[in-house]
Amino acid sequence: MNENFHSGHFCCEQCNKALSGQSYILKEEKPFCVACYDNCFANECAECNQKIGHDSKDLIFKSKHYHETCFEARYTCSMCKASLADKAFGNWDGQLCCLQCYEKNLAKNCQACGELIKPGMKRLGFQGKEWHDKCFRCKVCDEHIGGGIFVPKEDNIYCSSCYEETFGTKCAGCGKIISTGGLQYKNEPWHRECFGCAECGKSLYNTRFTVRDDKRLCADCFGERYARKCSECKQPIVGQGGTKYVCFEQRNWHNKCFNCKRCQVSLVNECFVTEEDIICPNCAQG
């Protein structure tokens, strides 16, 4: 330890026994005689409950320590029955298996490259199929997906953006993917905001509209451009809400507007007289 001692002063840290000419073991740069080292630091075998001395192999499995011979007696490959001491092995479905038996009987081939997925390799599994981590890539853009979001389809996997672009429903108006909501019109999909009036562009979702010359029109635009106009109030006469109107001599009125010009009594389903204006019989006699 790059230090000098009298022969009687180089002693065991635990029992103070002189170590000159004796075997000793350093622990954290402190010397211990063999007996004290085994007594203080040796692990206890989980099988035989005896100390695992400094001159014995200390095998660790599931945080427990074993003599080599005890480990060989307790743990063997479930397939070939060979001892697992000093061998690579793993636990598959509760059964211990050596590396050779695993590769021969249990290992799966990567769905992408077809090569064997060996123990210790990072892998990803989905619905009984497995991939090397490096091979778990989008079918379209070839970007590495790893533990990210993906969508499976048949034997391929896609990142979410490529899946939407390849298989997603596209709006008949703007041509972009409809990810949420939307509506169907004449067997075509639309974004709600794209399904609009041909004149003003206002969305017609969940709203009554009229089709004229293959154009969708909201009530306001239809009334402004095509509807009859009331001779009294000059407003469009549209059919929404069961609107009723009167037609006479190429003129039109809302029912509520078809009144005697003088006394304002309603003339709907009543007799009337035409002079310069339409009036009721009483006003005509007066």
Side-chain angles (χ1 to χ4, degrees):
M1 297 186 291
N2 298 322
E3 293 182 345
N4 300 307
F5 295 87
H6 292 108
S7 60
H9 291 163
F10 187 62
C11 301
C12 171
E13 186 74 17
Q14 181 69 20
C15 67
N16 208 33
K17 177 182 176 180
L19 297 177
S20 179
Q22 304 294 320
S23 297
Y24 66 92
I25 301 172
L26 289 176
K27 176 72 173 178
E28 297 177 356
E29 298 186 358
K30 295 178 181 179
F32 294 84
C33 67
V34 170
C36 286
Y37 179 86
D38 285 347
N39 186 58
C40 295
F41 303 108
N43 295 303
E44 186 177 284
C45 176
E47 184 68 17
C48 68
N49 298 321
Q50 300 298 314
K51 291 284 187 179
I52 303 173
H54 68 283
D55 54 351
S56 299
K57 284 187 177 180
D58 186 343
L59 303 183
I60 303 174
F61 180 57
K62 291 185 177 180
S63 301
K64 294 182 179 181
H65 297 262
Y66 297 88
H67 290 105
E68 182 177 14
T69 54
C70 292
F71 189 88
E72 289 177 343
R74 182 177 179 85
Y75 296 110
T76 59
C77 175
S78 60
M79 294 184 177
C80 68
K81 308 304 179 185
S83 171
L84 296 178
D86 293 332
K87 287 186 177 180
F89 68 91
N91 186 339
W92 290 275
D93 295 329
Q95 299 294 319
L96 296 182
C97 179
C98 67
L99 176 61
Q100 291 76 14
C101 287
Y102 172 82
E103 291 184 354
K104 181 179 179 181
N105 302 296
L106 298 174
K108 294 182 179 181
N109 293 327
C110 174
Q111 289 293 309
C113 70
E115 295 182 4
L116 196 68
I117 302 176
K118 296 182 178 181
M121 290 182 172
K122 190 174 182 180
R123 59 184 177 175
L124 293 169
F126 179 73
Q127 293 183 344
K129 299 176 181 179
E130 294 186 355
W131 291 259
H132 293 110
D133 176 65
K134 65 179 181 179
C135 297
F136 201 66
R137 313 179 78 86
C138 174
K139 175 69 175 179
V140 177
C141 67
D142 199 41
E143 286 294 320
H144 178 239
I145 296 176
I149 298 174
F150 68 94
V151 182
K153 186 173 179 63
E154 297 175 350
D155 292 331
N156 300 312
I157 53 176
Y158 302 83
C159 66
S160 56
S161 58
C162 284
Y163 180 85
E164 286 190 353
E165 185 64 29
T166 305
F167 303 105
T169 301
K170 295 183 180 180
C171 175
C174 67
K176 296 181 180 179
I177 297 296
I178 301 175
S179 55
T180 58
L183 57 89
Q184 194 85 1
Y185 177 71
K186 290 186 176 180
N187 297 321
E188 289 184 327
W190 294 79
H191 287 114
R192 294 176 180 177
E193 60 273 18
C194 293
F195 189 71
C197 173
E199 293 290 340
C200 68
K202 182 174 66 176
S203 174
L204 299 177
Y205 172 69
N206 207 26
T207 302
R208 291 182 177 182
F209 62 91
T210 301
V211 177
R212 180 82 175 219
D213 299 330
D214 291 329
K215 293 182 178 180
R216 299 182 304 275
L217 300 170
C218 66
D220 291 340
C221 289
F222 176 79
E224 181 67 26
R225 288 162 177 76
Y226 301 104
R228 297 178 177 90
K229 301 297 191 298
C230 178
S231 295
E232 180 64 26
C233 69
K234 311 305 180 184
Q235 296 301 310
I237 300 173
V238 294
Q240 289 182 324
T243 301
K244 295 181 180 181
Y245 67 97
V246 176
C247 180
F248 177 70
E249 292 184 349
Q250 298 183 344
R251 290 190 292 170
N252 303 282
W253 293 264
H254 293 105
N255 272 15
K256 65 180 181 180
C257 297
F258 192 60
N259 302 321
C260 174
K261 191 67 175 180
R262 297 179 183 176
C263 69
Q264 298 302 311
V265 66
S266 175
L267 298 178
V268 177
N269 298 324
E270 299 291 341
C271 295
F272 58 87
V273 178
T274 58
E275 295 178 350
E276 292 182 0
D277 295 309
I278 295 176
I279 58 177
C280 67
N282 290 335
C283 290
Q285 292 177 1

